[in-house]
């Protein structure tokens, strides 16, 4: 019989419930989100339920990870629907604080991410990862959990959080979960709702270009420059011309790789109208012959 989901907006209550669970010796999983939940988030909740006896989900559109001119104000916030989705997915606790609860008054202390691994989104979103690391650190304190689940769509975010947990000795395990895609390959994202039908049509070109390059890599192409050139050409042909980056990076450190000599990730970010899309695919090492 599923237990009723706790809906909590204040910090002491959220912390008390998680601590009670931990006191009972059960494994607690945490799924931090900004809401507008889709299948990608549901896959995280499922992974958490598969691994932990209790699952807490947080929904908070974190103002400090958005830069000036970014989409903080128009980020979708279908709170009532999200609450139902969480309950139906079997979450045990939904923590949905107000901005003033998370950031009351003047803030003097932040988590600062030095030497951001890789270029990727960092140069295009100054301060973004400091904002992410700060709020995730707060969430880890508010909702003390044993394991936290993050999607690989935000691959750089996943690596930044893993590094923060290591550097600051958070007693929590970080689990990365595979990207969930629409039937035509588009990576699921809360921001996809902003795409016009015409942009939505073109958006498919992003994952198509990445998968085509991944196939070439699997067939033996090791030169990053050549793979990146091909992705850029495919994107232009698909009508996606406003690119922030296309990069091939080490899958663990995010350092740029000139040749595929280790497990790598091909990552790209593009803008379609008002919407910024990011996506990435693993590049498997080609099988050596002979
Ligand atoms: O990936 C997200 O939804 C957010 O960046 C996170 C991790 C919940 C922090 O606000």
């Amino acid at each position: 019989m599923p237990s009723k989901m706790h809906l909590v907006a204040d910090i002491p209550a959220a912390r008390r419930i998680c601590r009670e669970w931990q006191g009972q010796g059960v494994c607690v999983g945490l799924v931090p989100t900004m809401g507008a939940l889709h299948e990608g988030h549901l896959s995280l909740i499922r992974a958490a339920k598969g691994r932990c006896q209790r699952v807490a989900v947080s929904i908070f559109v974190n103002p400090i990870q958005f830069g000036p001119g970014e989409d903080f104000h128009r980020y979708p916030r279908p709170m009532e629907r999200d609450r139902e989705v969480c309950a139906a997915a079997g979450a045990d606790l939904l923590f949905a604080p107000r901005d003033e609860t998370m950031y009351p008054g003047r803030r003097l202390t932040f988590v600062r991410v030095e030497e951001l691994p890789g270029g990727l989104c960092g140069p295009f979103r100054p301060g973004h990862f400091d904002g992410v690391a700060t709020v995730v650190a707060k969430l880890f304190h508010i909702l003390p959990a044993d394991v936290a689940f993050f999607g690989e769509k935000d691959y750089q975010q996943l690596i930044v959080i893993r590094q923060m947990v290591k550097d600051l000795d958070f007693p929590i395990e970080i689990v990365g979960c595979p990207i969930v895609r629409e039937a035509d390959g588009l990576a699921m994202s809360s921001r996809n709702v902003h795409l016009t039908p015409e942009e939505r049509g073109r958006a498919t070109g992003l994952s198509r270009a990445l998968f085509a390059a991944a196939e070439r890599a699997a067939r033996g192409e090791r030169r990053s420059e050549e793979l990146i050139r091909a992705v850029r050409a495919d994107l232009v042909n698909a009508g996606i011309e406003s690119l922030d980056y296309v990069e091939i990076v080490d899958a663990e450190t995010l350092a740029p790789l000139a040749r595929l000599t280790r497990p790598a990730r091909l990552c790209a970010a593009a803008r379609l109208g008002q919407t910024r899309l990011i996506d990435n695919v693993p590049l498997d090492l080609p099988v050596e012959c002979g």
Side-chain angles (χ1 to χ4, degrees):
M1 176 91 168
S3 58
K4 199 170 166 317
M5 182 178 77
H6 299 273
L7 177 58
V8 180
D10 74 287
I11 292 174
R15 186 178 284 137
R16 184 178 43 74
I17 294 168
C18 286
R19 283 203 175 136
E20 266 171 28
W21 288 337
Q22 285 190 319
Q24 294 159 7
V26 300
C27 175
V28 179
L30 171 62
V31 180
T33 81
M34 296 205 300
L37 303 177
H38 51 66
E39 266 305 313
H41 297 111
L42 288 179
S43 76
L44 303 180
I45 298 176
R46 275 184 221 116
K49 284 187 69 67
R51 181 70 201 278
C52 306
Q53 286 99 329
R54 292 284 181 272
V55 174
V57 177
S58 66
I59 294 183
F60 178 62
V61 184
N62 174 35
I64 69 165
Q65 70 185 72
F66 290 79
E70 289 190 348
D71 57 351
F72 173 68
H73 290 292
R74 60 185 205 110
Y75 200 87
R77 291 166 170 84
M79 193 53 213
E80 195 47 38
R81 186 188 154 276
D82 281 351
R83 192 186 58 71
E84 284 164 16
V85 167
C86 281
D92 300 287
L93 164 66
L94 172 57
F95 176 58
R98 298 167 63 88
D99 287 8
E100 312 80 80
T101 303
M102 291 298 276
Y103 299 118
R106 202 154 72 105
R107 251 176 295 126
L108 295 176
T109 310
F110 294 86
V111 178
R112 174 147 157 236
V113 181
E114 289 278 10
E115 291 199 25
L116 194 64
L120 305 180
C121 289
F124 295 92
R125 303 193 69 188
H128 168 69
F129 288 107
D130 294 351
V132 169
T134 300
V135 82
V136 171
K138 284 166 72 72
L139 290 169
F140 286 173
H141 289 306
I142 295 166
L143 300 160
D146 302 287
V147 194
F149 297 80
F150 294 87
E152 287 183 347
K153 186 172 92 55
D154 297 296
Y155 197 77
Q156 189 174 19
Q157 166 174 284
L158 174 64
I159 301 297
V160 162
I161 290 166
R162 277 196 206 288
Q163 186 70 42
M164 177 184 80
V165 162
K166 188 166 158 230
D167 290 343
L168 301 183
D169 302 301
F170 279 91
I172 193 163
E173 179 188 337
I174 304 300
V175 171
C177 299
I179 298 176
V180 177
R181 296 180 180 279
E182 304 284 356
D184 64 4
L186 179 68
M188 291 205 182
S189 163
S190 305
R191 290 187 164 102
N192 291 350
V193 295
H194 293 313
L195 294 168
T196 64
E198 187 275 327
E199 289 162 356
R200 175 65 187 80
R202 277 188 289 142
T204 325
L206 181 55
S207 59
R208 239 194 348 254
L210 297 183
F211 280 120
E215 255 179 61
R216 275 188 71 186
R219 285 199 307 269
E221 178 57 77
R222 289 180 177 224
R223 294 165 299 165
S224 296
E225 201 182 337
E226 173 51 28
L227 294 168
I228 290 170
R229 189 205 55 73
V231 171
R232 286 184 171 273
D234 285 354
L235 290 175
V236 171
N237 286 336
I240 303 177
E241 293 183 5
S242 177
L243 291 181
D244 279 1
Y245 60 80
V246 180
E247 287 188 42
I248 293 180
V249 294
D250 182 298
E252 267 178 38
T253 65
L254 299 190
L257 282 183
R259 285 185 70 78
L260 300 186
T261 49
R262 335 171 12 84
R265 210 88 191 181
L266 168 58
C267 306
R271 290 170 198 268
L272 273 97
Q274 302 290 303
T275 312
R276 185 171 185 273
L277 299 178
I278 58 172
D279 198 351
N280 67 85
V281 293
L283 296 181
D284 298 324
L285 288 181
V287 181
E288 298 281 4
C289 301

